[in-house]
Amino acid sequence: MAVIVEGQQFDADTLFNQVIGIATDIGQHDSGMHQHSKGQLLYAPIGCMSITLAGMQSVLPPTRAAWIPAGVMHCARMRNVVSYRSLYFSQDLAALLPKTMCIVEVNALLQALIERMAFWDWDKPTHEQTHTLALFCEELALAPLQQLHLSLPQDLRLQKWLTTLTTGHLPPQKLNQLQTEIGASGKTISRIFSRETGMPYQAWRQQWRLLNAIERLAEGLSISTVAFDLDFASDSAFISFFRQHTGSTPAKYFTDQS
């Protein structure tokens, strides 16, 4: 079986084929922090999910996939219905696969391979997987990396604010507004972000807006709604921001699978 229905219990670590694939549609879902003894590839051809690792958040739109090595703690969240694909790889394939967590661009060939493998029977003979698996590993190794990560500061003064930010709908404030809420000077906040995330606060804020914009657009919200919600002066200002950070317009970003 490869298709999972709602409520069905599944644990890839109890299955022993080289590649275990699953495919399902998931509504609002939070996996909680967990890990696998197998490497995992996550992909959503429809919808968008966010992934949390220790000290870092990532977003996964439909033209991107996430590779999570064995043993890495992570949490996957979906806010709306997502067509969810997950591939799990046995440890004896580790030498053929990435060593660190990464998000990669998914072209048409890689997407087709993921779809094929996600629907494989869990007892599919290993010799019948060989050629598809080899092509998948080759395409994954060649896939361009995407910087869709956001490191999270660990300073205790920012934790309540971060919780509100990740569970609410408002974008992070400008620095002069944040210092009032946190009760620390702008210089102190800037030092915290530079030290703990490797980014000045303004750059961190822009990256947060970008990832949130990708997630909202993938959920079907209009450019005008996203621009307004994320505090851009106009639709054109938002489109210019999006193009500057991704190299394409919002419409092209979600359809480009060259």
Side-chain angles (χ1 to χ4, degrees), residues 105-142:
E105 204 172 289
V106 176
N107 62 20
L109 177 55
L110 185 55
Q111 180 187 38
L113 291 167
I114 294 170
E115 285 293 303
R116 172 69 63 85
M117 297 166 75
F119 285 91
W120 275 352
D121 291 334
W122 294 343
D123 59 354
K124 184 177 181 68
T126 298
H127 71 273
E128 294 182 7
Q129 300 181 1
T130 302
H131 297 302
T132 303
L133 175 59
L135 184 55
F136 168 85
C137 292
E138 180 180 345
E139 284 299 305
L140 183 61
L142 294 173

PDB file of all heavy atoms in Angstrom, residues 105-142:
ATOM      1  N   GLU A 105      15.005  22.681  -5.674  1.00  0.00           N
ATOM      2  CA  GLU A 105      14.065  22.969  -6.746  1.00  0.00           C
ATOM      3  C   GLU A 105      13.623  21.652  -7.378  1.00  0.00           C
ATOM      4  O   GLU A 105      14.427  20.746  -7.572  1.00  0.00           O
ATOM      5  CB  GLU A 105      14.773  23.846  -7.778  1.00  0.00           C
ATOM      6  CG  GLU A 105      13.883  24.700  -8.627  1.00  0.00           C
ATOM      7  CD  GLU A 105      14.701  25.655  -9.479  1.00  0.00           C
ATOM      8  OE1 GLU A 105      15.279  26.603  -8.900  1.00  0.00           O
ATOM      9  OE2 GLU A 105      14.789  25.424 -10.694  1.00  0.00           O
ATOM     10  N   VAL A 106      12.334  21.560  -7.705  1.00  0.00           N
ATOM     11  CA  VAL A 106      11.793  20.341  -8.309  1.00  0.00           C
ATOM     12  C   VAL A 106      11.437  20.614  -9.764  1.00  0.00           C
ATOM     13  O   VAL A 106      10.511  21.377 -10.045  1.00  0.00           O
ATOM     14  CB  VAL A 106      10.549  19.844  -7.537  1.00  0.00           C
ATOM     15  CG1 VAL A 106       9.945  18.629  -8.230  1.00  0.00           C
ATOM     16  CG2 VAL A 106      10.912  19.503  -6.102  1.00  0.00           C
ATOM     17  N   ASN A 107      12.192  20.015 -10.694  1.00  0.00           N
ATOM     18  CA  ASN A 107      11.835  20.151 -12.099  1.00  0.00           C
ATOM     19  C   ASN A 107      10.823  19.062 -12.475  1.00  0.00           C
ATOM     20  O   ASN A 107      10.429  18.238 -11.650  1.00  0.00           O
ATOM     21  CB  ASN A 107      13.079  20.114 -12.993  1.00  0.00           C
ATOM     22  CG  ASN A 107      13.832  18.793 -12.907  1.00  0.00           C
ATOM     23  OD1 ASN A 107      13.296  17.767 -12.486  1.00  0.00           O
ATOM     24  ND2 ASN A 107      15.096  18.805 -13.311  1.00  0.00           N
ATOM     25  N   ALA A 108      10.401  19.067 -13.730  1.00  0.00           N
ATOM     26  CA  ALA A 108       9.340  18.146 -14.154  1.00  0.00           C
ATOM     27  C   ALA A 108       9.760  16.687 -14.012  1.00  0.00           C
ATOM     28  O   ALA A 108       8.953  15.828 -13.630  1.00  0.00           O
ATOM     29  CB  ALA A 108       8.943  18.450 -15.596  1.00  0.00           C
ATOM     30  N   LEU A 109      11.025  16.382 -14.295  1.00  0.00           N
ATOM     31  CA  LEU A 109      11.489  14.996 -14.182  1.00  0.00           C
ATOM     32  C   LEU A 109      11.522  14.543 -12.731  1.00  0.00           C
ATOM     33  O   LEU A 109      11.056  13.440 -12.408  1.00  0.00           O
ATOM     34  CB  LEU A 109      12.872  14.853 -14.820  1.00  0.00           C
ATOM     35  CG  LEU A 109      13.525  13.460 -14.714  1.00  0.00           C
ATOM     36  CD1 LEU A 109      12.607  12.379 -15.267  1.00  0.00           C
ATOM     37  CD2 LEU A 109      14.883  13.446 -15.418  1.00  0.00           C
ATOM     38  N   LEU A 110      12.084  15.374 -11.848  1.00  0.00           N
ATOM     39  CA  LEU A 110      12.131  14.998 -10.436  1.00  0.00           C
ATOM     40  C   LEU A 110      10.729  14.844  -9.869  1.00  0.00           C
ATOM     41  O   LEU A 110      10.452  13.937  -9.089  1.00  0.00           O
ATOM     42  CB  LEU A 110      12.930  16.040  -9.642  1.00  0.00           C
ATOM     43  CG  LEU A 110      13.161  15.727  -8.156  1.00  0.00           C
ATOM     44  CD1 LEU A 110      13.826  14.366  -7.980  1.00  0.00           C
ATOM     45  CD2 LEU A 110      14.004  16.818  -7.511  1.00  0.00           C
ATOM     46  N   GLN A 111       9.818  15.707 -10.265  1.00  0.00           N
ATOM     47  CA  GLN A 111       8.435  15.579  -9.809  1.00  0.00           C
ATOM     48  C   GLN A 111       7.833  14.246 -10.252  1.00  0.00           C
ATOM     49  O   GLN A 111       7.171  13.553  -9.463  1.00  0.00           O
ATOM     50  CB  GLN A 111       7.583  16.720 -10.334  1.00  0.00           C
ATOM     51  CG  GLN A 111       6.117  16.633  -9.870  1.00  0.00           C
ATOM     52  CD  GLN A 111       5.221  17.664 -10.524  1.00  0.00           C
ATOM     53  OE1 GLN A 111       5.382  17.964 -11.701  1.00  0.00           O
ATOM     54  NE2 GLN A 111       4.287  18.203  -9.763  1.00  0.00           N
ATOM     55  N   ALA A 112       8.059  13.871 -11.503  1.00  0.00           N
ATOM     56  CA  ALA A 112       7.520  12.609 -12.008  1.00  0.00           C
ATOM     57  C   ALA A 112       8.101  11.417 -11.254  1.00  0.00           C
ATOM     58  O   ALA A 112       7.392  10.447 -10.953  1.00  0.00           O
ATOM     59  CB  ALA A 112       7.809  12.493 -13.504  1.00  0.00           C
ATOM     60  N   LEU A 113       9.377  11.481 -10.919  1.00  0.00           N
ATOM     61  CA  LEU A 113      10.001  10.398 -10.166  1.00  0.00           C
ATOM     62  C   LEU A 113       9.424  10.296  -8.762  1.00  0.00           C
ATOM     63  O   LEU A 113       9.157   9.195  -8.262  1.00  0.00           O
ATOM     64  CB  LEU A 113      11.515  10.623 -10.102  1.00  0.00           C
ATOM     65  CG  LEU A 113      12.265  10.470 -11.438  1.00  0.00           C
ATOM     66  CD1 LEU A 113      13.680  11.028 -11.313  1.00  0.00           C
ATOM     67  CD2 LEU A 113      12.302   9.008 -11.875  1.00  0.00           C
ATOM     68  N   ILE A 114       9.231  11.451  -8.112  1.00  0.00           N
ATOM     69  CA  ILE A 114       8.639  11.447  -6.765  1.00  0.00           C
ATOM     70  C   ILE A 114       7.241  10.844  -6.807  1.00  0.00           C
ATOM     71  O   ILE A 114       6.875  10.015  -5.967  1.00  0.00           O
ATOM     72  CB  ILE A 114       8.607  12.873  -6.189  1.00  0.00           C
ATOM     73  CG1 ILE A 114      10.030  13.386  -5.945  1.00  0.00           C
ATOM     74  CG2 ILE A 114       7.805  12.900  -4.881  1.00  0.00           C
ATOM     75  CD1 ILE A 114      10.091  14.875  -5.615  1.00  0.00           C
ATOM     76  N   GLU A 115       6.452  11.269  -7.797  1.00  0.00           N
ATOM     77  CA  GLU A 115       5.091  10.741  -7.919  1.00  0.00           C
ATOM     78  C   GLU A 115       5.113   9.234  -8.124  1.00  0.00           C
ATOM     79  O   GLU A 115       4.335   8.495  -7.499  1.00  0.00           O
ATOM     80  CB  GLU A 115       4.377  11.426  -9.081  1.00  0.00           C
ATOM     81  CG  GLU A 115       3.943  12.851  -8.799  1.00  0.00           C
ATOM     82  CD  GLU A 115       2.845  12.915  -7.744  1.00  0.00           C
ATOM     83  OE1 GLU A 115       1.782  12.283  -7.942  1.00  0.00           O
ATOM     84  OE2 GLU A 115       3.043  13.598  -6.721  1.00  0.00           O
ATOM     85  N   ARG A 116       5.975   8.754  -9.009  1.00  0.00           N
ATOM     86  CA  ARG A 116       6.055   7.310  -9.261  1.00  0.00           C
ATOM     87  C   ARG A 116       6.416   6.549  -7.988  1.00  0.00           C
ATOM     88  O   ARG A 116       5.783   5.548  -7.628  1.00  0.00           O
ATOM     89  CB  ARG A 116       7.098   7.049 -10.358  1.00  0.00           C
ATOM     90  CG  ARG A 116       7.447   5.587 -10.597  1.00  0.00           C
ATOM     91  CD  ARG A 116       6.292   4.823 -11.215  1.00  0.00           C
ATOM     92  NE  ARG A 116       5.965   5.341 -12.520  1.00  0.00           N
ATOM     93  CZ  ARG A 116       6.566   4.969 -13.652  1.00  0.00           C
ATOM     94  NH1 ARG A 116       7.548   4.082 -13.618  1.00  0.00           N
ATOM     95  NH2 ARG A 116       6.191   5.456 -14.808  1.00  0.00           N
ATOM     96  N   MET A 117       7.421   7.028  -7.268  1.00  0.00           N
ATOM     97  CA  MET A 117       7.908   6.304  -6.095  1.00  0.00           C
ATOM     98  C   MET A 117       6.942   6.403  -4.920  1.00  0.00           C
ATOM     99  O   MET A 117       6.854   5.487  -4.100  1.00  0.00           O
ATOM    100  CB  MET A 117       9.290   6.831  -5.715  1.00  0.00           C
ATOM    101  CG  MET A 117      10.333   6.589  -6.813  1.00  0.00           C
ATOM    102  SD  MET A 117      11.859   7.533  -6.607  1.00  0.00           S
ATOM    103  CE  MET A 117      12.631   6.626  -5.276  1.00  0.00           C
ATOM    104  N   ALA A 118       6.210   7.514  -4.837  1.00  0.00           N
ATOM    105  CA  ALA A 118       5.261   7.679  -3.729  1.00  0.00           C
ATOM    106  C   ALA A 118       4.135   6.659  -3.783  1.00  0.00           C
ATOM    107  O   ALA A 118       3.529   6.337  -2.753  1.00  0.00           O
ATOM    108  CB  ALA A 118       4.681   9.098  -3.741  1.00  0.00           C
ATOM    109  N   PHE A 119       3.853   6.144  -4.979  1.00  0.00           N
ATOM    110  CA  PHE A 119       2.759   5.182  -5.130  1.00  0.00           C
ATOM    111  C   PHE A 119       3.243   3.743  -5.259  1.00  0.00           C
ATOM    112  O   PHE A 119       2.454   2.835  -5.516  1.00  0.00           O
ATOM    113  CB  PHE A 119       1.904   5.560  -6.351  1.00  0.00           C
ATOM    114  CG  PHE A 119       1.006   6.744  -6.107  1.00  0.00           C
ATOM    115  CD1 PHE A 119       1.443   8.029  -6.399  1.00  0.00           C
ATOM    116  CD2 PHE A 119      -0.264   6.582  -5.567  1.00  0.00           C
ATOM    117  CE1 PHE A 119       0.630   9.125  -6.172  1.00  0.00           C
ATOM    118  CE2 PHE A 119      -1.082   7.669  -5.341  1.00  0.00           C
ATOM    119  CZ  PHE A 119      -0.642   8.954  -5.642  1.00  0.00           C
ATOM    120  N   TRP A 120       4.540   3.509  -5.060  1.00  0.00           N
ATOM    121  CA  TRP A 120       5.042   2.143  -5.084  1.00  0.00           C
ATOM    122  C   TRP A 120       4.418   1.316  -3.961  1.00  0.00           C
ATOM    123  O   TRP A 120       4.204   1.816  -2.838  1.00  0.00           O
ATOM    124  CB  TRP A 120       6.552   2.134  -4.868  1.00  0.00           C
ATOM    125  CG  TRP A 120       7.349   2.332  -6.115  1.00  0.00           C
ATOM    126  CD1 TRP A 120       6.890   2.368  -7.403  1.00  0.00           C
ATOM    127  CD2 TRP A 120       8.770   2.517  -6.192  1.00  0.00           C
ATOM    128  NE1 TRP A 120       7.931   2.559  -8.267  1.00  0.00           N
ATOM    129  CE2 TRP A 120       9.091   2.657  -7.570  1.00  0.00           C
ATOM    130  CE3 TRP A 120       9.793   2.589  -5.242  1.00  0.00           C
ATOM    131  CZ2 TRP A 120      10.400   2.846  -8.006  1.00  0.00           C
ATOM    132  CZ3 TRP A 120      11.091   2.779  -5.687  1.00  0.00           C
ATOM    133  CH2 TRP A 120      11.395   2.906  -7.051  1.00  0.00           C
ATOM    134  N   ASP A 121       4.168   0.042  -4.229  1.00  0.00           N
ATOM    135  CA  ASP A 121       3.778  -0.870  -3.156  1.00  0.00           C
ATOM    136  C   ASP A 121       4.936  -0.998  -2.171  1.00  0.00           C
ATOM    137  O   ASP A 121       6.106  -0.995  -2.566  1.00  0.00           O
ATOM    138  CB  ASP A 121       3.437  -2.254  -3.722  1.00  0.00           C
ATOM    139  CG  ASP A 121       2.152  -2.240  -4.537  1.00  0.00           C
ATOM    140  OD1 ASP A 121       1.301  -1.364  -4.276  1.00  0.00           O
ATOM    141  OD2 ASP A 121       2.016  -3.095  -5.434  1.00  0.00           O
ATOM    142  N   TRP A 122       4.612  -1.113  -0.907  1.00  0.00           N
ATOM    143  CA  TRP A 122       5.664  -1.172   0.109  1.00  0.00           C
ATOM    144  C   TRP A 122       6.490  -2.450   0.031  1.00  0.00           C
ATOM    145  O   TRP A 122       7.587  -2.523   0.591  1.00  0.00           O
ATOM    146  CB  TRP A 122       5.054  -1.022   1.498  1.00  0.00           C
ATOM    147  CG  TRP A 122       4.457   0.351   1.713  1.00  0.00           C
ATOM    148  CD1 TRP A 122       4.691   1.465   0.975  1.00  0.00           C
ATOM    149  CD2 TRP A 122       3.519   0.726   2.710  1.00  0.00           C
ATOM    150  NE1 TRP A 122       3.964   2.530   1.451  1.00  0.00           N
ATOM    151  CE2 TRP A 122       3.228   2.106   2.522  1.00  0.00           C
ATOM    152  CE3 TRP A 122       2.884   0.042   3.742  1.00  0.00           C
ATOM    153  CZ2 TRP A 122       2.333   2.808   3.346  1.00  0.00           C
ATOM    154  CZ3 TRP A 122       1.997   0.730   4.559  1.00  0.00           C
ATOM    155  CH2 TRP A 122       1.737   2.108   4.359  1.00  0.00           C
ATOM    156  N   ASP A 123       5.967  -3.472  -0.638  1.00  0.00           N
ATOM    157  CA  ASP A 123       6.733  -4.711  -0.814  1.00  0.00           C
ATOM    158  C   ASP A 123       7.239  -4.863  -2.243  1.00  0.00           C
ATOM    159  O   ASP A 123       7.563  -5.965  -2.676  1.00  0.00           O
ATOM    160  CB  ASP A 123       5.886  -5.920  -0.418  1.00  0.00           C
ATOM    161  CG  ASP A 123       4.600  -6.035  -1.245  1.00  0.00           C
ATOM    162  OD1 ASP A 123       4.307  -5.103  -2.055  1.00  0.00           O
ATOM    163  OD2 ASP A 123       3.871  -7.033  -1.097  1.00  0.00           O
ATOM    164  N   LYS A 124       7.366  -3.756  -2.963  1.00  0.00           N
ATOM    165  CA  LYS A 124       7.872  -3.805  -4.333  1.00  0.00           C
ATOM    166  C   LYS A 124       9.272  -4.404  -4.327  1.00  0.00           C
ATOM    167  O   LYS A 124      10.140  -3.959  -3.560  1.00  0.00           O
ATOM    168  CB  LYS A 124       7.903  -2.394  -4.923  1.00  0.00           C
ATOM    169  CG  LYS A 124       8.314  -2.317  -6.394  1.00  0.00           C
ATOM    170  CD  LYS A 124       8.243  -0.870  -6.883  1.00  0.00           C
ATOM    171  CE  LYS A 124       8.635  -0.758  -8.362  1.00  0.00           C
ATOM    172  NZ  LYS A 124       7.624  -1.405  -9.236  1.00  0.00           N
ATOM    173  N   PRO A 125       9.545  -5.395  -5.160  1.00  0.00           N
ATOM    174  CA  PRO A 125      10.883  -6.027  -5.166  1.00  0.00           C
ATOM    175  C   PRO A 125      11.989  -5.009  -5.415  1.00  0.00           C
ATOM    176  O   PRO A 125      11.847  -4.101  -6.233  1.00  0.00           O
ATOM    177  CB  PRO A 125      10.780  -7.029  -6.316  1.00  0.00           C
ATOM    178  CG  PRO A 125       9.313  -7.344  -6.422  1.00  0.00           C
ATOM    179  CD  PRO A 125       8.607  -6.063  -6.079  1.00  0.00           C
ATOM    180  N   THR A 126      13.090  -5.172  -4.700  1.00  0.00           N
ATOM    181  CA  THR A 126      14.201  -4.225  -4.795  1.00  0.00           C
ATOM    182  C   THR A 126      14.720  -4.087  -6.218  1.00  0.00           C
ATOM    183  O   THR A 126      15.025  -2.984  -6.685  1.00  0.00           O
ATOM    184  CB  THR A 126      15.337  -4.657  -3.860  1.00  0.00           C
ATOM    185  OG1 THR A 126      14.864  -4.655  -2.508  1.00  0.00           O
ATOM    186  CG2 THR A 126      16.519  -3.709  -3.973  1.00  0.00           C
ATOM    187  N   HIS A 127      14.807  -5.198  -6.947  1.00  0.00           N
ATOM    188  CA  HIS A 127      15.364  -5.135  -8.299  1.00  0.00           C
ATOM    189  C   HIS A 127      14.473  -4.329  -9.243  1.00  0.00           C
ATOM    190  O   HIS A 127      14.940  -3.818 -10.261  1.00  0.00           O
ATOM    191  CB  HIS A 127      15.609  -6.544  -8.849  1.00  0.00           C
ATOM    192  CG  HIS A 127      14.356  -7.301  -9.191  1.00  0.00           C
ATOM    193  ND1 HIS A 127      13.670  -8.063  -8.257  1.00  0.00           N
ATOM    194  CD2 HIS A 127      13.653  -7.399 -10.349  1.00  0.00           C
ATOM    195  CE1 HIS A 127      12.616  -8.610  -8.826  1.00  0.00           C
ATOM    196  NE2 HIS A 127      12.580  -8.228 -10.092  1.00  0.00           N
ATOM    197  N   GLU A 128      13.187  -4.186  -8.894  1.00  0.00           N
ATOM    198  CA  GLU A 128      12.279  -3.384  -9.711  1.00  0.00           C
ATOM    199  C   GLU A 128      12.391  -1.892  -9.383  1.00  0.00           C
ATOM    200  O   GLU A 128      11.844  -1.058 -10.105  1.00  0.00           O
ATOM    201  CB  GLU A 128      10.841  -3.855  -9.521  1.00  0.00           C
ATOM    202  CG  GLU A 128      10.582  -5.264 -10.038  1.00  0.00           C
ATOM    203  CD  GLU A 128       9.131  -5.676  -9.863  1.00  0.00           C
ATOM    204  OE1 GLU A 128       8.299  -4.823  -9.466  1.00  0.00           O
ATOM    205  OE2 GLU A 128       8.822  -6.863 -10.112  1.00  0.00           O
ATOM    206  N   GLN A 129      13.080  -1.550  -8.306  1.00  0.00           N
ATOM    207  CA  GLN A 129      13.268  -0.157  -7.918  1.00  0.00           C
ATOM    208  C   GLN A 129      14.576   0.427  -8.468  1.00  0.00           C
ATOM    209  O   GLN A 129      14.740   1.658  -8.507  1.00  0.00           O
ATOM    210  CB  GLN A 129      13.293  -0.035  -6.386  1.00  0.00           C
ATOM    211  CG  GLN A 129      12.035  -0.501  -5.686  1.00  0.00           C
ATOM    212  CD  GLN A 129      12.133  -0.324  -4.170  1.00  0.00           C
ATOM    213  OE1 GLN A 129      13.138   0.161  -3.656  1.00  0.00           O
ATOM    214  NE2 GLN A 129      11.086  -0.725  -3.467  1.00  0.00           N
ATOM    215  N   THR A 130      15.468  -0.410  -8.917  1.00  0.00           N
ATOM    216  CA  THR A 130      16.859  -0.008  -9.152  1.00  0.00           C
ATOM    217  C   THR A 130      17.007   1.174 -10.099  1.00  0.00           C
ATOM    218  O   THR A 130      17.658   2.177  -9.768  1.00  0.00           O
ATOM    219  CB  THR A 130      17.675  -1.206  -9.683  1.00  0.00           C
ATOM    220  OG1 THR A 130      17.593  -2.274  -8.738  1.00  0.00           O
ATOM    221  CG2 THR A 130      19.130  -0.802  -9.875  1.00  0.00           C
ATOM    222  N   HIS A 131      16.430   1.092 -11.285  1.00  0.00           N
ATOM    223  CA  HIS A 131      16.667   2.119 -12.299  1.00  0.00           C
ATOM    224  C   HIS A 131      16.004   3.448 -11.928  1.00  0.00           C
ATOM    225  O   HIS A 131      16.610   4.524 -12.085  1.00  0.00           O
ATOM    226  CB  HIS A 131      16.182   1.636 -13.662  1.00  0.00           C
ATOM    227  CG  HIS A 131      16.906   0.423 -14.166  1.00  0.00           C
ATOM    228  ND1 HIS A 131      18.273   0.399 -14.340  1.00  0.00           N
ATOM    229  CD2 HIS A 131      16.450  -0.815 -14.508  1.00  0.00           C
ATOM    230  CE1 HIS A 131      18.635  -0.799 -14.780  1.00  0.00           C
ATOM    231  NE2 HIS A 131      17.551  -1.555 -14.885  1.00  0.00           N
ATOM    232  N   THR A 132      14.777   3.388 -11.431  1.00  0.00           N
ATOM    233  CA  THR A 132      14.090   4.617 -11.010  1.00  0.00           C
ATOM    234  C   THR A 132      14.823   5.266  -9.848  1.00  0.00           C
ATOM    235  O   THR A 132      14.997   6.485  -9.808  1.00  0.00           O
ATOM    236  CB  THR A 132      12.630   4.315 -10.607  1.00  0.00           C
ATOM    237  OG1 THR A 132      11.965   3.695 -11.707  1.00  0.00           O
ATOM    238  CG2 THR A 132      11.893   5.586 -10.224  1.00  0.00           C
ATOM    239  N   LEU A 133      15.261   4.456  -8.895  1.00  0.00           N
ATOM    240  CA  LEU A 133      15.993   4.978  -7.742  1.00  0.00           C
ATOM    241  C   LEU A 133      17.294   5.653  -8.174  1.00  0.00           C
ATOM    242  O   LEU A 133      17.644   6.733  -7.679  1.00  0.00           O
ATOM    243  CB  LEU A 133      16.289   3.844  -6.763  1.00  0.00           C
ATOM    244  CG  LEU A 133      17.159   4.181  -5.552  1.00  0.00           C
ATOM    245  CD1 LEU A 133      16.527   5.277  -4.709  1.00  0.00           C
ATOM    246  CD2 LEU A 133      17.405   2.929  -4.708  1.00  0.00           C
ATOM    247  N   ALA A 134      18.023   5.041  -9.107  1.00  0.00           N
ATOM    248  CA  ALA A 134      19.286   5.623  -9.572  1.00  0.00           C
ATOM    249  C   ALA A 134      19.049   6.971 -10.247  1.00  0.00           C
ATOM    250  O   ALA A 134      19.800   7.934 -10.013  1.00  0.00           O
ATOM    251  CB  ALA A 134      19.976   4.664 -10.536  1.00  0.00           C
ATOM    252  N   LEU A 135      17.999   7.072 -11.050  1.00  0.00           N
ATOM    253  CA  LEU A 135      17.691   8.338 -11.716  1.00  0.00           C
ATOM    254  C   LEU A 135      17.246   9.382 -10.709  1.00  0.00           C
ATOM    255  O   LEU A 135      17.622  10.561 -10.803  1.00  0.00           O
ATOM    256  CB  LEU A 135      16.608   8.118 -12.777  1.00  0.00           C
ATOM    257  CG  LEU A 135      16.241   9.330 -13.641  1.00  0.00           C
ATOM    258  CD1 LEU A 135      17.466   9.919 -14.321  1.00  0.00           C
ATOM    259  CD2 LEU A 135      15.172   8.937 -14.658  1.00  0.00           C
ATOM    260  N   PHE A 136      16.472   8.966  -9.717  1.00  0.00           N
ATOM    261  CA  PHE A 136      16.053   9.894  -8.654  1.00  0.00           C
ATOM    262  C   PHE A 136      17.274  10.465  -7.932  1.00  0.00           C
ATOM    263  O   PHE A 136      17.366  11.674  -7.717  1.00  0.00           O
ATOM    264  CB  PHE A 136      15.139   9.181  -7.666  1.00  0.00           C
ATOM    265  CG  PHE A 136      14.904   9.960  -6.400  1.00  0.00           C
ATOM    266  CD1 PHE A 136      13.907  10.928  -6.328  1.00  0.00           C
ATOM    267  CD2 PHE A 136      15.695   9.744  -5.266  1.00  0.00           C
ATOM    268  CE1 PHE A 136      13.712  11.666  -5.172  1.00  0.00           C
ATOM    269  CE2 PHE A 136      15.500  10.470  -4.117  1.00  0.00           C
ATOM    270  CZ  PHE A 136      14.503  11.444  -4.059  1.00  0.00           C
ATOM    271  N   CYS A 137      18.191   9.616  -7.529  1.00  0.00           N
ATOM    272  CA  CYS A 137      19.387  10.081  -6.806  1.00  0.00           C
ATOM    273  C   CYS A 137      20.198  11.050  -7.655  1.00  0.00           C
ATOM    274  O   CYS A 137      20.728  12.046  -7.147  1.00  0.00           O
ATOM    275  CB  CYS A 137      20.246   8.893  -6.377  1.00  0.00           C
ATOM    276  SG  CYS A 137      19.500   7.853  -5.096  1.00  0.00           S
ATOM    277  N   GLU A 138      20.291  10.776  -8.945  1.00  0.00           N
ATOM    278  CA  GLU A 138      21.023  11.665  -9.847  1.00  0.00           C
ATOM    279  C   GLU A 138      20.344  13.029  -9.935  1.00  0.00           C
ATOM    280  O   GLU A 138      21.003  14.068  -9.841  1.00  0.00           O
ATOM    281  CB  GLU A 138      21.121  11.034 -11.236  1.00  0.00           C
ATOM    282  CG  GLU A 138      21.873  11.884 -12.246  1.00  0.00           C
ATOM    283  CD  GLU A 138      21.952  11.236 -13.617  1.00  0.00           C
ATOM    284  OE1 GLU A 138      21.687  10.018 -13.724  1.00  0.00           O
ATOM    285  OE2 GLU A 138      22.273  11.950 -14.589  1.00  0.00           O
ATOM    286  N   GLU A 139      19.023  13.031 -10.107  1.00  0.00           N
ATOM    287  CA  GLU A 139      18.291  14.288 -10.224  1.00  0.00           C
ATOM    288  C   GLU A 139      18.322  15.080  -8.915  1.00  0.00           C
ATOM    289  O   GLU A 139      18.439  16.308  -8.921  1.00  0.00           O
ATOM    290  CB  GLU A 139      16.835  14.017 -10.637  1.00  0.00           C
ATOM    291  CG  GLU A 139      16.668  13.676 -12.089  1.00  0.00           C
ATOM    292  CD  GLU A 139      17.124  14.815 -13.000  1.00  0.00           C
ATOM    293  OE1 GLU A 139      16.622  15.948 -12.845  1.00  0.00           O
ATOM    294  OE2 GLU A 139      17.988  14.573 -13.864  1.00  0.00           O
ATOM    295  N   LEU A 140      18.217  14.392  -7.791  1.00  0.00           N
ATOM    296  CA  LEU A 140      18.260  15.074  -6.498  1.00  0.00           C
ATOM    297  C   LEU A 140      19.616  15.733  -6.291  1.00  0.00           C
ATOM    298  O   LEU A 140      19.701  16.872  -5.795  1.00  0.00           O
ATOM    299  CB  LEU A 140      17.963  14.092  -5.373  1.00  0.00           C
ATOM    300  CG  LEU A 140      17.898  14.684  -3.957  1.00  0.00           C
ATOM    301  CD1 LEU A 140      16.782  15.727  -3.851  1.00  0.00           C
ATOM    302  CD2 LEU A 140      17.690  13.579  -2.921  1.00  0.00           C
ATOM    303  N   ALA A 141      20.688  15.063  -6.681  1.00  0.00           N
ATOM    304  CA  ALA A 141      22.033  15.622  -6.521  1.00  0.00           C
ATOM    305  C   ALA A 141      22.241  16.848  -7.403  1.00  0.00           C
ATOM    306  O   ALA A 141      22.994  17.759  -7.042  1.00  0.00           O
ATOM    307  CB  ALA A 141      23.082  14.558  -6.851  1.00  0.00           C
ATOM    308  N   LEU A 142      21.563  16.902  -8.551  1.00  0.00           N
ATOM    309  CA  LEU A 142      21.714  18.020  -9.480  1.00  0.00           C
ATOM    310  C   LEU A 142      20.750  19.169  -9.202  1.00  0.00           C
ATOM    311  O   LEU A 142      20.929  20.268  -9.746  1.00  0.00           O
ATOM    312  CB  LEU A 142      21.497  17.525 -10.920  1.00  0.00           C
ATOM    313  CG  LEU A 142      22.536  16.542 -11.465  1.00  0.00           C
ATOM    314  CD1 LEU A 142      22.082  16.022 -12.821  1.00  0.00           C
ATOM    315  CD2 LEU A 142      23.899  17.201 -11.566  1.00  0.00           C
TER     316      LEU A 142
END
